[in-house]
Amino acid sequence: MTKIAIIGGTGLTSLKNLQLDQREVVHTPYGEPSGPLVHGKFADTDVVFLPRHGSGHTIPPHKINYRANLWALKEQGVTHIIAVNAVGGIRDDMGPGVLVVPDQIIDYTCGRSNTYFEDGLESVVHIDFTEPYCQALRSVLIQAAQSAKVEIIDGGTYAATQGPRLESSAEIRKLERDGCDLVGMTGMPEAALARELNLCYAALAVVANWGAGKVDGAITMEAIETCLNEGMQKVRSSLEQVSKFL
Ligand code: HPA
């Protein structure tokens, strides 16, 4: 049976229109998740919602306990995870306000606990990550956005950076040369851990700003927030359509 979880990113710390059933504090062998799991009905479908940065948006990207978050969701019987991520846009058609369902990732993070397969193994495990996202769920997200009349770009390479600072303009130029289209700080190790747990995982990326140096001037948190408010409206309308296409 399909059971959906939504991991909310910056700008999506709660789901309006979620009919709340219960909040559940859970513990995992990997420590505490970002907060209580929020169980409820969203557009007539049972979902579990987890704000990645905590309900007060206080946990920075490099401090998120990604292993505990995904483990907790798996233990609830979750089969599919929709990850919502705020990102910076690099590719010319990926400017502020645009929604993208990425199809590839390059991992530039460091020092994060990025696997369940490290201690007490009978043998070494290497998961396949050729296609880092679940194609079936990617296609559901694209159909849902189209059904909500929200423009969405199918495919793009997500650069996962360590943060919490934003990039220099030279770093953005380097990411561009590497073939990256979007840059964010939370895509990894989340996607890889989901694969290790056999969860179907796809991301809905919302462009909050142009990557550093793509336009003149500094990137301000105010500008990011304004843009995300509008972008998250599109995310909410798209998510409301998801159950039609599962
Ligand atoms: N860089 C990295 N992460 C981000 C950005 C960015 O420009 N915008 C939102 N998340």
Side-chain angles (χ1 to χ4, degrees):
M1 213 190 76
T2 303
K3 185 161 178 183
I4 296 272
I6 299 170
I7 301 182
T10 302
L12 196 74
T13 45
S14 65
L15 263 191
K16 262 188 241 157
N17 300 342
L18 178 81
Q19 274 175 266
L20 180 72
D21 290 334
Q22 93 179 109
R23 271 177 222 280
E24 187 184 8
V25 175
V26 296
H27 307 279
T28 81
Y30 300 95
E32 311 307 304
S34 297
L37 303 181
V38 183
H39 297 268
K41 273 209 166 35
F42 185 71
D44 285 335
T45 309
D46 286 326
V47 301
V48 185
F49 179 74
L50 179 61
R52 191 187 280 114
H53 299 274
S55 49
H57 199 259
T58 50
I59 312 172
H62 61 294
K63 291 282 193 185
I64 291 167
N65 191 339
Y66 295 94
R67 290 197 301 184
N69 284 353
L70 293 174
W71 192 269
L73 294 174
K74 175 82 180 183
E75 273 196 325
Q76 299 294 316
V78 163
T79 55
H80 290 63
I81 296 188
I82 300 170
V84 180
N85 303 86
V87 295
I90 299 177
R91 203 167 90 188
D92 285 348
D93 59 345
M94 296 184 180
V98 169
L99 259 53
V100 185
V101 179
D103 62 349
Q104 280 297 328
I105 305 184
I106 301 181
D107 188 5
Y108 299 92
T109 66
C110 54
R112 301 183 182 187
S113 295
N114 62 358
T115 182
Y116 295 106
F117 297 120
E118 53 185 6
D119 294 320
L121 299 178
E122 277 167 27
S123 65
V124 169
V125 178
H126 301 288
I127 53 153
D128 173 63
F129 208 47
T130 312
E131 299 295 339
Y133 297 105
C134 169
Q135 294 294 357
L137 189 55
R138 288 190 64 254
S139 137
V140 167
L141 291 178
I142 289 158
Q143 292 175 76
Q146 285 166 348
S147 159
K149 306 227 173 335
V150 166
E151 259 184 72
I152 188 140
I153 298 179
D154 175 356
T157 298
Y158 178 111
T161 54
Q162 175 66 3
R165 65 166 176 83
L166 297 165
E167 297 71 37
S168 68
S169 53
E171 285 169 335
I172 292 293
R173 289 198 299 276
K174 178 201 164 200
L175 295 178
E176 198 162 20
R177 287 195 299 277
D178 279 359
C180 299
D181 302 309
L182 301 163
V183 56
M185 300 173 193
T186 52
M188 287 292 279
E190 201 173 84
L193 293 167
R195 180 61 54 81
E196 287 191 350
L197 294 178
N198 264 324
L199 292 161
C200 177
Y201 176 98
L204 193 50
V206 190
V207 182
N209 55 281
W210 282 112
K214 294 289 290 178
V215 287
D216 287 341
I219 302 169
T220 64
M221 287 307 289
E222 292 76 45
I224 289 184
E225 269 163 33
T226 309
C227 188
L228 275 182
N229 285 341
E230 180 207 329
M232 288 306 164
Q233 213 29 64
K234 297 184 194 172
V235 167
R236 287 192 185 93
S237 331
S238 304
L239 290 176
E240 277 168 17
Q241 302 295 315
V242 158
S243 58
K244 289 189 190 160
F245 301 97
L246 281 170

